Amino acid sequence: MGFGFIVVFVFLFFQSKSVAVNVDVYNSVIYQSPDLKSLFGYNVRIYPNTTLPPSLIISAPRSEGSSYVSQTGNVFSCSSQNSSTCSPLLLTGLDSPNQRIDSDGETGSYISERKDNMWLGVSIETSLNGWLITCGHRYVVTGNGNNAFMHGQCYLFSSLNLNSTIIQPCRGCNSFTYYQCLAGLGLSINSDGSVPLIGIPGAKLFTGEVLYNNFDNCISLFSPENIDSDSFGNDALFGYSIARGRVINRNFEDIISSMPRYNDLYGGIAIFRNESGLITDKLIISGQYFGAYFGHSVITCDING
């Protein structure tokens, strides 16, 4: 097995009546990690710096942690001009031992956390003005009777030079229907960083939910049932992948959420209109083939100007 690595190519754009793209395969910059099992390069995003060339944000979700925890995963900031200058982000509490944490929930007091194998960096999103959010969907809290809740945990940065804010979307959701939230598999952030969307595909017996515009204990979670009376059923995995865009109406931003196990495993996506913070109207696009996992990944882009 070789090194985990990514290759960055230089794109040259020539604008006239049409656009041509040349890929410079001879002057590529190669980024690699000596950790053979880290999955370095699992996610890559461009981070805009105000006074410097943009950085590359590269995740390694199976990277070894500190001497206290094993394979937490990690996220690195790398120079876009020099592949040898990569440094881990300042992730609050990541290198510390697993902690005893506050008790809450009707299912028994949570007494400890488990950051080992949390897959930090499974998702990353950046904004144009320097916000960044990354998640580890396998972060676990344990309770009385050895109950384990795979809630997931996210880290939000307003700047790469500052420590992160920890977001625990399912903390305080006092029901076994939230025992395996897998928070952070789906992720999106708006341009000013003020409204992250965090997918929670394991919530409500894997029907799924999305955390919208609030980080406080189980508040502002929305799911199909909160929009109308229709239920997508168990195992839809709503929130598995998330995107934003003006799809239904040019005047309002829409929220697009995948649900790859919807409709008896045919899969689908749901598009919600976000009208001044009020989630309304729903458009569903279903997959056509059984077991295809339609909606595994969703992204929006402007293809007609």
Side-chain angles (χ1 to χ4, degrees):
M1 183 181 297
F3 289 90
F5 67 93
I6 64 171
V7 181
V8 177
F9 296 104
V10 178
F11 291 86
L12 302 178
F13 294 89
F14 300 92
Q15 181 68 48
S16 59
K17 291 184 179 180
S18 62
V19 176
V21 179
N22 289 341
V23 179
D24 183 356
V25 297
Y26 299 105
N27 296 294
S28 60
V29 181
I30 298 177
Y31 298 77
Q32 60 184 8
S33 167
D35 187 346
L36 301 181
K37 299 179 181 180
S38 69
L39 299 183
F40 182 81
Y42 187 89
N43 267 308
V44 181
R45 293 292 185 273
I46 295 176
Y47 181 86
N49 290 310
T50 55
T51 58
L52 300 172
S55 300
L56 292 180
I57 305 299
I58 305 173
S59 76
R62 297 290 289 165
S63 174
E64 287 291 345
S66 67
S67 57
Y68 304 106
V69 289
S70 174
Q71 290 188 325
T72 57
N74 216 328
V75 180
F76 299 87
S77 174
C78 303
S79 168
S80 58
Q81 298 180 322
N82 186 343
S83 62
S84 64
T85 55
C86 289
S87 57
L89 300 187
L90 300 174
L91 293 152
T92 303
L94 185 65
D95 292 333
S96 62
N98 291 326
Q99 300 289 324
R100 182 183 180 92
I101 57 181
D102 295 337
S103 62
D104 61 1
E106 297 175 358
T107 58
S109 298
Y110 299 151
I111 57 174
S112 63
E113 64 176 355
R114 191 185 304 156
K115 290 178 286 191
D116 307 81
N117 301 302
M118 70 181 288
W119 273 70
L120 179 64
V122 71
S123 55
I124 307 172
E125 288 296 335
T126 59
S127 70
L128 294 176
N129 65 345
W131 287 77
L132 181 149
I133 186 169
T134 183
C135 300
H137 69 298
R138 293 177 59 87
Y139 170 85
V140 170
V141 291
T142 58
N144 292 337
N146 294 320
N147 295 323
F149 302 85
M150 192 173 285
H151 278 175
Q153 181 165 281
C154 300
Y155 299 82
L156 179 67
F157 294 83
S158 59
S159 168
L160 293 188
N161 298 321
L162 302 175
N163 284 322
S164 57
T165 299
I166 293 176
I167 303 173
Q168 297 177 324
C170 290
R171 188 76 184 281
C173 299
N174 49 9
S175 168
F176 272 108
T177 59
Y178 291 94
Y179 79 98
Q180 196 164 352
C181 285
L182 306 177
L185 269 177
L187 195 60
S188 180
I189 192 170
N190 63 340
S191 59
D192 65 6
S194 61
V195 187
L197 292 172
I198 301 175
I200 311 172
K204 291 189 175 179
L205 301 177
F206 298 95
T207 296
E209 290 190 343
V210 172
L211 176 68
Y212 173 74
N213 198 28
N214 200 308
F215 306 150
D216 296 330
N217 300 343
C218 226
I219 298 174
S220 293
L221 296 177
F222 82 88
S223 63
E225 294 90 335
N226 294 344
I227 307 301
D228 56 34
S229 59
D230 294 336
S231 173
F232 289 175
N234 294 345
D235 298 327
L237 296 182
F238 180 81
Y240 193 91
S241 180
I242 308 171
R244 304 167 186 254
R246 300 180 187 272
V247 179
I248 299 177
N249 188 316
R250 280 182 172 269
N251 297 321
F252 301 102
E253 181 184 68
D254 302 312
I255 295 172
I256 302 96
S257 176
S258 75
M259 35 189 185
R261 292 174 62 89
Y262 166 70
N263 190 24
D264 296 326
L265 301 183
Y266 279 83
I269 65 170
I271 304 174
F272 298 91
R273 186 168 69 184
N274 178 16
E275 187 172 337
S276 302
L278 178 64
I279 307 299
T280 62
D281 290 355
K282 180 178 67 180
L283 172 65
I284 296 177
I285 302 175
S286 297
Q288 299 181 6
Y289 301 100
F290 176 81
Y293 238 65
F294 180 81
H296 178 275
S297 297
V298 293
I299 190 171
T300 59
C301 61
D302 186 353
I303 60 174
N304 61 3

